[in-house]
Amino acid sequence: MSLERILADLLGGSLVTLLIALLIIVSIFLGVRIVPQSEKYVVERFGRLQSVLGPGINFIVPFIDVVRHKVSILERQLPTASQDAITKDNVLVQVETSVFYRILEPEKTVYRIRDVDAAIATTVAGIVRAEIGKMELDEVQSNRSSLIGQIQNAVEDQVDNWGIEVTRAEILDVNLDQATRDAMLQQLNAERERRAQVTRAEGAKRAVELNADAELYAAEQIAKARRIEADAEAYATGVVAQAIADNGLEAAQYQVALKQVDALAKVGAGAGKQTIFLPADAVDAFKNAFGMLKGGK
């Protein structure tokens, strides 16, 4: 055997071994798939869905199974969308919305819908218009949380066949045109004026009630004072009557004389210089009063 023949045999055997080793390496590379935690892989076999690979190490049949789609399962946010809607009371509003979702079943998402973001945005726009059309403007402004819940539930029902979970739907803002804003401002000012008038009327009513209560209280106090005076007068009259009953006519004359003296004292108590004319028997009144004090008649 010649040297050339021996070299040819050695080179041929090494080439086959090299090819076999290369085939094994390629098969291992194609058959082992390491999937990140945030993704799922959709595997096809001869153009048909074979399996969905989850996070971690996965094995597929090399040269037959092919990873056709790598789908992220992280939560996504659609770009803020703005759409016009008409409320139940025929007011045009512009609503800004934002939707958060994540893919739960990638096999449904990749085979049932082409552009999932555009599909969700279109669905949300239609649902927002439909829900706002059932409510008046005041309800849209005051019941925003309830409206958000209704929109989210409706979107979830629509996208269920796409393997998607809507985690959150937000209404960022509800804008009105300038004419509607001016009308609402006028209505707000009118409502404030009405409340102010009601408050002033209630204050005036309360003032009248308080004045009436004060007058009634004053009248009650005057009546009490008069009753006390009447009781005192009655008591004094009773004392005089008892004295007359006990001492006879002298007690009555004594009381009359005291009254006369008191009247003369009041007449002489005037301010300034003045001339007072007294009846002739005025001095006798003093004499009688002092005489009775001494026990005379």
Side-chain angles (χ1 to χ4, degrees):
M1 182 180 292
S2 63
L3 181 60
E4 290 80 3
R5 183 57 180 266
I6 294 174
L7 292 176
D9 293 339
L10 290 176
L11 290 175
S14 299
L15 182 60
V16 172
T17 303
L18 182 61
L19 291 175
I20 294 174
L22 182 61
L23 179 62
I24 293 175
I25 293 174
V26 172
S27 298
I28 294 175
F29 179 78
L30 296 177
V32 178
R33 286 289 183 267
I34 299 177
V35 181
Q37 183 68 36
S38 60
E39 294 182 350
K40 285 185 178 181
Y41 289 176
V42 178
V43 178
E44 293 182 354
R45 177 177 294 177
F46 302 118
R48 298 187 63 180
L49 174 65
Q50 175 62 24
S51 62
V52 177
L53 306 182
I57 299 178
N58 298 270
F59 299 96
I60 60 176
V61 179
F63 304 106
I64 299 177
D65 295 342
V66 179
V67 175
R68 188 65 64 186
H69 304 281
K70 297 180 179 181
V71 181
S72 174
I73 58 175
L74 294 176
E75 186 173 7
R76 306 180 186 183
Q77 178 185 5
L78 290 179
T80 301
S82 178
Q83 57 265 350
D84 294 334
I86 299 178
T87 62
K88 187 177 180 180
D89 50 351
N90 295 324
V91 177
L92 179 63
V93 296
Q94 190 176 52
V95 184
E96 294 183 2
T97 59
S98 181
V99 177
F100 296 80
Y101 74 95
R102 61 186 175 188
I103 297 175
L104 299 180
E105 300 175 275
E107 64 276 16
K108 293 183 179 180
T109 305
V110 299
Y111 292 118
R112 293 185 179 181
I113 189 72
R114 180 179 297 275
D115 189 345
V116 62
D117 288 352
I120 294 177
T122 304
T123 302
V124 170
I127 293 174
V128 168
R129 292 191 181 98
E131 293 297 330
I132 290 182
K134 302 175 183 178
M135 307 173 67
E136 295 184 355
L137 179 60
D138 293 340
E139 296 175 344
V140 174
Q141 298 286 359
S142 60
N143 299 328
R144 184 174 296 186
S145 59
S146 175
L147 179 60
I148 290 174
Q150 295 174 4
I151 292 174
Q152 181 172 347
N153 294 333
V155 173
E156 288 178 352
D157 294 338
Q158 294 292 330
V159 303
D160 184 62
N161 292 330
W162 300 340
I164 295 172
E165 177 189 16
V166 177
T167 58
R168 186 171 48 173
E170 295 290 343
I171 295 179
L172 304 179
D173 199 3
V174 178
N175 299 316
L176 306 173
D177 56 10
Q178 190 60 40
T180 304
R181 290 182 180 179
D182 294 340
M184 292 183 64
L185 181 59
Q186 292 178 0
Q187 181 181 2
L188 180 61
N189 292 335
E191 179 65 19
R192 288 176 178 174
E193 180 61 25
R194 184 190 66 82
R195 292 181 181 178
Q197 291 179 358
V198 171
T199 302
R200 288 194 293 267
E202 290 179 351
K205 177 183 176 182
R206 184 57 179 165
V208 171
E209 292 176 351
L210 292 176
N211 289 334
D213 292 341
E215 292 177 358
L216 178 61
Y217 178 76
E220 290 177 351
Q221 296 302 315
I222 292 174
K224 288 180 181 179
R226 289 179 178 176
R227 185 167 59 250
I228 293 173
E229 290 178 356
D231 292 341
E233 186 68 22
Y235 176 76
T237 303
V239 172
V240 172
Q242 184 64 35
I244 293 173
D246 294 340
N247 299 312
L249 185 59
E250 291 80 2
Q253 293 175 346
Y254 176 71
Q255 290 295 326
V256 172
L258 288 180
K259 294 292 184 180
Q260 292 176 347
V261 172
D262 184 61
L264 291 174
K266 290 181 180 180
V267 171
K273 296 180 180 180
Q274 55 188 345
T275 302
I276 301 174
F277 295 94
L278 298 175
D281 57 350
V283 178
D284 294 336
F286 288 100
K287 185 186 297 184
N288 293 335
F290 286 112
M292 290 179 183
L293 289 174
K294 295 178 179 180
K297 295 184 178 179

